[in-house]
Amino acid sequence: MWLQLKSAHTGAFFALWAGMCVAQITIASEPTENQFEFTDKVKSELISKRNFREFAGSYTADATFKQLPGGQNGRLLVEIANPENFDLPIAEVTASCGCTRATLLSRIIPAKGSATLEIKIDTPEKHNSGIFEGRVILKVDQRKVEHKELTQVNVNLKFEIGGLLCFKEHLVAVNAQRGKTGDLQLPFVCSVTTPATELQIKPSGVLLGAAGKIKAAKNGYYVQLDIDPELIANDQGFGTLQLTDPASGVSDQIHVVITVEKEIALSPHTIRFVRLSSLPDTLVGRCIVRVRRESEDDAAVPLLSRNKKATDPPALTCDAKIGNRPIEVMVKPVNHKVYRISMSIDEKTAKAILAEQKESNKDLQISWKVISGSVASVGETRFVLSGVSQVGVE
């Protein structure tokens, strides 16, 4: 006997030899609702090309859904209406995001009719804006379409993600200034049911002890922390801030690197002294001193400018010594915040320094004291003496 099967999706009949009586069986090819954690549907009508007097290019269908839960498997249905007097046959369906899988339930968007686009999606658990935007492209089959210049239908997907608690960035670097307490603002996305002001704030590392408040912004919320740079050792610190929804347990954290700006900075970190041909008995080293000014505009003005009157930079005093031995220092300003420093050591002093390093079995460093106006800084810098022999040192 032949067994006759009918597809519920296409309506086509298939015959199968069964060696017994004839029967008809219906096969369900579409997924059932309970396979998904949520389902939503919208309608979108294409704009007719008659308005542009040319049947060419692409169509656009905007599909904006309501808020959808994050971290779930869902099914989105877009009913696409075709206003044209001709069919739009579809050859291929592609999605811009790997978290979506799209299928057109029929290969044609009929004239004056509609077709349903099915999109299976895994909504993200984390998102730095809270708004999902994606695109599904339906490529027109140009072999079958009436107007060969038509290319594709762009379906733009958009929805707000619910149940999110996510910082917009997960690593930030902050510059702070000694002696000045600053406000650190860390924006985040919040779509949980708990009011944002009731979320739990937990700082750690250099952020430990910082007073934190949650405030509303134009496009969301942010955590405001009061940072005291005086509590940060070695001019750099690392901390973490965790935000938790006590009702759902959803949390996120952000890592913060805080670098304390020095009023006066010297570079490089190791100064090399070399012998010059013009001064065979002297070793010369050079470095740059940068001074942070309150007015960046003044600091950027060159000493000699074609458009502005030349002005003298603020005076800078620089004292340096190695151990108890003073070093001769010359200061030449480059502009109002950069100075070029030249140092010189005679041959006898250089040999004495090497002998002292050998005897103490430790590396000596250059001790600095730099003053510019009301700004002062002290510190140490490594150095290297090139081409100096210890022969003859007493």
Side-chain angles (χ1 to χ4, degrees):
M1 295 293 180
W2 289 92
L3 183 64
Q4 192 175 39
L5 306 180
K6 181 181 180 181
S7 169
H9 180 56
T10 62
F13 287 89
F14 302 92
L16 179 66
W17 177 258
M20 54 184 298
C21 63
V22 176
Q24 182 170 304
I25 302 175
T26 300
I27 302 176
S29 60
E30 296 185 13
T32 59
E33 292 291 330
N34 58 13
Q35 288 181 271
F36 304 98
E37 295 177 271
F38 67 85
T39 299
D40 199 8
K41 183 176 182 178
V42 297
K43 294 182 179 180
S44 182
E45 183 173 352
L46 306 180
I47 298 176
S48 174
K49 292 294 182 179
R50 291 191 302 271
N51 300 334
F52 304 97
R53 299 182 181 179
E54 184 180 10
F55 292 95
S58 61
Y59 292 93
T60 297
D62 292 323
T64 301
F65 295 85
K66 63 183 182 182
Q67 186 185 86
L68 302 175
Q72 292 190 14
N73 173 34
R75 183 192 190 205
L76 305 179
L77 300 174
V78 183
E79 184 180 337
I80 304 173
N82 178 10
E84 309 292 15
N85 294 321
F86 52 87
D87 295 341
L88 290 174
I90 302 302
E92 185 181 357
V93 179
T94 58
S96 63
C97 176
C99 60
T100 59
R101 299 165 300 282
T103 305
L104 192 67
L105 298 184
S106 64
R107 304 302 293 182
I108 292 177
I109 307 177
K112 301 298 183 179
S114 62
T116 300
L117 176 67
E118 179 191 65
I119 304 164
K120 302 173 185 177
I121 185 169
D122 298 320
T123 54
E125 295 181 352
K126 302 289 184 182
H127 201 279
N128 61 5
S129 71
I131 304 295
F132 177 91
E133 292 182 291
R135 173 175 286 185
V136 175
I137 299 175
L138 312 179
K139 292 187 178 180
V140 174
D141 192 339
Q142 294 178 323
R143 299 170 303 173
K144 300 178 181 179
V145 70
E146 182 176 334
H147 300 278
K148 306 302 181 183
E149 293 79 12
L150 293 173
T151 57
Q152 62 193 39
V153 177
N154 299 319
V155 183
N156 297 323
L157 308 176
K158 185 176 181 180
F159 60 85
E160 181 185 358
I161 306 169
L164 281 186
L165 185 57
C166 183
F167 284 102
K168 293 191 175 183
E169 296 182 75
H170 287 89
L171 176 64
V172 295
V174 180
N175 290 326
Q177 297 178 11
R178 290 287 185 196
K180 294 186 178 181
T181 301
D183 292 336
L184 177 60
Q185 297 182 358
L186 304 172
F188 65 93
V189 175
C190 179
S191 59
V192 296
T193 56
T194 302
T197 54
E198 297 180 13
L199 299 174
Q200 298 173 346
I201 303 173
K202 183 180 179 181
S204 60
V206 295
L207 303 179
L208 188 63
K213 297 180 181 179
I214 295 178
K215 295 188 176 183
K218 184 177 181 180
N219 297 319
Y221 302 90
Y222 64 89
V223 179
Q224 177 175 300
L225 294 177
D226 295 330
I227 302 298
D228 185 359
E230 297 298 330
L231 301 178
I232 301 174
N234 301 323
D235 299 323
Q236 190 176 73
F238 179 82
T240 301
L241 181 73
Q242 181 170 304
L243 204 57
T244 303
D245 173 19
S248 64
V250 176
S251 67
D252 197 25
Q253 64 179 11
I254 184 172
H255 303 290
V256 180
V257 178
I258 301 178
T259 301
V260 180
E261 292 182 348
K262 294 183 178 180
E263 300 285 338
I264 297 177
L266 186 144
S267 61
H269 297 299
T270 301
I271 299 173
R272 181 177 295 277
F273 287 83
V274 296
R275 197 185 306 274
L276 300 181
S277 57
S278 58
L279 298 171
D281 297 329
T282 304
L283 282 84
V284 177
R286 294 187 175 92
C287 65
I288 295 293
V289 170
R290 291 178 173 83
V291 181
R292 186 182 59 80
R293 304 292 184 192
E294 291 297 330
S295 172
E296 292 296 327
D297 292 336
D298 291 341
V301 175
L303 298 184
L304 295 176
S305 173
R306 295 179 180 178
N307 301 321
K308 295 187 179 182
K309 185 178 179 179
T311 57
D312 294 330
L316 183 138
T317 303
C318 182
D319 294 328
K321 61 182 180 179
I322 299 177
N324 295 321
R325 298 176 178 83
I327 301 175
E328 184 179 347
V329 178
M330 294 180 60
V331 179
K332 183 178 180 180
V334 177
N335 55 37
H336 284 65
K337 86 175 175 180
V338 178
Y339 298 80
R340 184 178 288 111
I341 307 297
S342 297
M343 297 157 286
S344 59
I345 303 175
D346 59 56
E347 182 83 9
K348 183 178 179 180
T349 302
K351 290 184 178 182
I353 291 171
L354 290 178
E356 184 178 346
Q357 284 193 139
K358 184 177 181 180
E359 182 179 350
S360 62
N361 197 26
K362 65 178 183 179
D363 291 334
L364 298 178
Q365 294 192 353
I366 301 176
S367 299
W368 294 91
K369 183 178 182 181
V370 182
I371 301 175
S372 179
S374 60
V375 179
S377 178
V378 295
E380 292 185 327
T381 307
R382 295 185 178 90
F383 68 94
V384 175
L385 301 177
S386 300
V388 180
S389 173
Q390 295 191 58
V391 177
V393 177
E394 296 180 359

